[in-house]
Amino acid sequence: FKSKLIKFNFMTPEVWFLIIIVLVIFNYLFSNILDYLNHKNWKDEIPLELKDFYDKKKYKQAKLYAISKNKIGLLSSTTSFLFIVSLLVFNGYGYIDQYVNSSSLNLFLPFEINVSFIQSGFFFLILFTLNSIISIPFSYYNTFVIEENFGFNKTTKSTFFFDIIKSSIISILIGGVLLFLALYLYNNLNDGFWLYLWIGLSLLIVFINMFYADLIVPIFNKLTPLENGELRKKIETYSKEVGYLLKNIYVIDGSKRSTKANAFFSGLGPRKTIALYDTLIDKHTENELVAVLAHEVGHFKKKHVFSGLLMSIIQIGIMTFFFELCLKLPEISLALGGSDISFHLGLIGFSIIFSPISMMSGILMNYISRKNEFEADSYAKETFNGEDLSLALKKLSVFSLSNIYPHPLYVFFHNSHPSLIKRLRALNK
């Protein structure tokens, strides 16, 4: 470690190493300070808007739930932080890089990038495995101890581990394809490969937005068409009145994992789909469910879906541009222990170096998102019923034991939604 901090010239591998480790430490401290402020911001009194929903016992339970989640979150982030710092300080990335470079793995793919693809793929597979070994015990404890103790967990151990296996396979397949295409562009284009990578990732984002409910969700959950009845009739009637035509209305078996309620909308153009968790249907009236739908329709009518997708694509463009810049600096690979310029070490270095820019873009996108939530709430109030939406928001918050007093700084940096109290007060104006 000391050898990395000896006298060095400007922007040498030693300087990049120092920048990288400072950013890792800053990100860890900054994130946990915000979590601490958010935790300490809990107040003893129940807000007037929620007195009819929260009794003192339930409110105390919510605070205890937050304390439990914060403790396991701090332990998990600290373990991950120490793991990353250890890789940096003790040249772990360099040793893994040397190992994959010296290995004789070769699948004889009919492309010139065969060797680099195998080496980079093997490198990320090792890191993925190590990260999984670290994260799975915390996820297990969170599910079968914390969520279980507070009455949320419905996941069986077999479902838990099968979910890990399935999500790992999907991550490896998608990650492998993206890595192969990125390496192909990187090795065949001297300059401007970021532009083609940007186009490819943007198309992937659009594809996922359109077919998420058809391709990804069924791997983990069962989607059943909402049966004919009063709820379906009300949803279809409202949708026709406001000119929002749905392709499908599904019920998703969320109760197989948790008692928490949720809903999601996916699809673009004529492929718009709504999926209501069975737990949401059980805990809310039909009018409240239509009000939740009206809020989501508001996002569509106010062009929030399109603008959000556009901002994501712009963000990807900025990210890929800086990614190419990092790959052109061999000093970054050398700072991480490589013997020469390396695609996978450059990607690791970029993910850390880019974090300040990612934070700034996240602040902007969260600010716009919170503004959009107010507009969608207002749309639901104008086109359906604000009181039903208020009731739905209150129930969702109370049932999930969420923090109703988030710290303003935490909201500013992290939250894509305004606090519940601000939303309720805006609806009641």
Side-chain angles (χ1 to χ4, degrees):
F1 176 62
K2 290 182 180 178
S3 66
K4 290 180 178 289
L5 299 178
I6 59 176
K7 293 181 180 180
F8 46 76
N9 298 320
F10 183 64
M11 302 315 286
T12 61
E14 291 80 11
V15 174
W16 280 114
F17 173 81
L18 186 60
I19 291 172
I20 288 171
I21 201 163
V22 166
L23 284 173
V24 169
I25 294 171
F26 170 79
N27 290 337
Y28 167 76
L29 292 176
F30 184 74
S31 176
N32 282 288
I33 288 171
L34 285 180
D35 287 340
Y36 175 77
L37 291 174
N38 196 47
H39 168 64
K40 297 299 288 185
N41 203 52
W42 277 86
K43 296 177 175 59
D44 292 330
E45 68 274 10
I46 301 172
L48 181 63
E49 291 86 351
L50 293 174
K51 284 191 179 293
D52 293 336
F53 289 83
Y54 258 130
D55 55 34
K56 290 184 178 181
K57 182 179 179 181
K58 189 78 171 178
Y59 186 65
K60 183 179 180 181
Q61 187 183 22
K63 293 177 70 174
L64 292 173
Y65 179 63
I67 291 172
S68 300
K69 299 286 281 188
N70 286 339
K71 285 181 178 178
I72 192 66
L74 176 60
L75 188 57
S76 175
S77 65
T78 301
T79 305
S80 297
F81 166 74
L82 293 175
F83 173 65
I84 294 172
V85 169
S86 298
L87 289 175
L88 290 170
V89 172
F90 299 109
N91 201 34
Y93 289 118
Y95 287 132
I96 299 174
D97 178 59
Q98 292 172 21
Y99 175 70
V100 299
N101 288 341
S102 63
S103 66
S104 58
L105 286 173
N106 197 318
L107 296 183
F108 302 103
L109 296 174
F111 294 95
E112 293 181 1
I113 65 166
N114 177 24
V115 174
S116 59
F117 172 69
I118 295 300
Q119 291 173 346
S120 292
F122 195 30
F123 177 89
F124 287 118
L125 184 60
I126 292 172
L127 286 183
F128 178 82
T129 302
L130 292 174
N131 278 304
S132 296
I133 292 172
I134 292 172
S135 64
I136 288 175
F138 292 107
S139 179
Y140 183 93
Y141 183 86
N142 179 69
T143 300
F144 294 104
V145 177
I146 297 177
E147 298 293 305
E148 185 79 31
N149 288 343
F150 286 90
F152 291 130
N153 181 51
K154 294 295 181 183
T155 306
T156 63
K157 290 181 174 62
S158 60
T159 298
F160 176 82
F161 286 108
F162 271 118
D163 281 350
I164 292 175
I165 293 170
K166 288 186 284 189
S167 60
S168 298
I169 292 173
I170 293 172
S171 297
I172 292 171
L173 288 175
I174 295 177
V177 171
L178 291 176
L179 178 63
F180 183 83
L181 294 176
L183 277 167
Y184 181 81
L185 293 172
Y186 175 66
N187 288 331
N188 287 277
L189 297 172
N190 292 326
D191 292 301
F193 102 94
W194 71 271
L195 183 61
Y196 296 93
L197 183 60
W198 178 24
I199 294 172
L201 291 175
S202 299
L203 291 175
L204 177 63
I205 291 294
V206 173
F207 179 83
I208 291 175
N209 268 274
M210 290 187 66
F211 297 100
Y212 175 75
D214 298 303
L215 299 178
I216 304 298
V217 175
I219 297 175
F220 298 93
N221 289 93
K222 182 179 179 181
L223 291 171
T224 307
L226 179 63
E227 61 184 19
N228 292 325
E230 194 62 28
L231 176 58
R232 187 180 186 97
K233 182 180 178 181
K234 285 186 176 182
I235 290 175
E236 291 177 340
T237 299
Y238 172 79
S239 298
K240 290 177 182 178
E241 287 177 353
V242 297
Y244 183 84
L245 300 181
L246 288 166
K247 177 179 179 288
N248 293 303
I249 306 173
Y250 288 120
V251 177
I252 184 171
D253 58 340
S255 58
K256 68 184 286 187
R257 291 182 177 83
S258 176
T259 62
K260 291 181 179 179
N262 205 348
F264 71 84
F265 293 72
S266 73
L268 298 171
R271 299 195 61 83
K272 295 188 290 292
T273 297
I274 173 177
L276 303 172
Y277 278 53
D278 51 4
T279 48
L280 187 75
I281 295 175
D282 292 340
K283 294 174 180 176
H284 293 271
T285 66
E286 292 169 354
N287 281 355
E288 289 167 6
L289 293 171
V290 178
V292 172
L293 168 68
H295 169 90
E296 297 300 332
V297 172
H299 283 306
F300 174 79
K301 290 291 186 177
K302 298 291 184 179
K303 311 297 182 185
H304 299 160
V305 176
F306 175 78
S307 62
L309 185 61
L310 182 61
M311 285 190 294
S312 295
I313 290 173
I314 292 172
Q315 187 179 35
I316 291 172
I318 296 171
M319 180 185 71
T320 54
F321 175 77
F322 279 97
F323 179 40
E324 180 171 327
L325 292 182
C326 286
L327 289 180
K328 289 182 176 179
L329 296 172
E331 293 84 2
I332 293 177
S333 295
L334 296 176
L336 293 174
S339 57
D340 198 359
I341 190 169
S342 165
F343 182 89
H344 44 268
L345 288 179
L347 180 54
I348 294 292
F350 159 77
S351 66
I352 299 171
I353 295 166
F354 188 73
S355 59
I357 301 174
S358 179
M359 178 186 291
M360 289 186 289
S361 64
I363 291 171
L364 175 62
M365 293 184 73
N366 282 335
Y367 170 79
I368 295 172
S369 177
R370 291 193 297 270
K371 177 176 173 291
N372 290 346
E373 290 301 315
F374 284 123
E375 291 184 1
D377 284 350
S378 178
Y379 181 87
K381 179 180 178 179
E382 294 168 3
T383 60
F384 190 70
N385 190 297
E387 182 60 30
D388 285 319
L389 181 59
S390 293
L391 290 172
L393 293 174
K394 291 175 184 179
K395 288 183 180 180
L396 283 169
S397 178
V398 172
F399 286 144
S400 61
L401 301 179
S402 61
N403 184 356
I404 56 177
Y405 286 116
H407 193 279
L409 276 178
Y410 188 92
V411 173
F412 178 76
F413 283 101
H414 285 315
N415 286 9
S416 60
H417 286 56
S419 67
L420 172 65
I421 302 303
K422 287 188 175 181
R423 292 180 70 179
L424 294 176
R425 289 173 182 172
L427 280 168
N428 288 332
K429 282 186 179 179

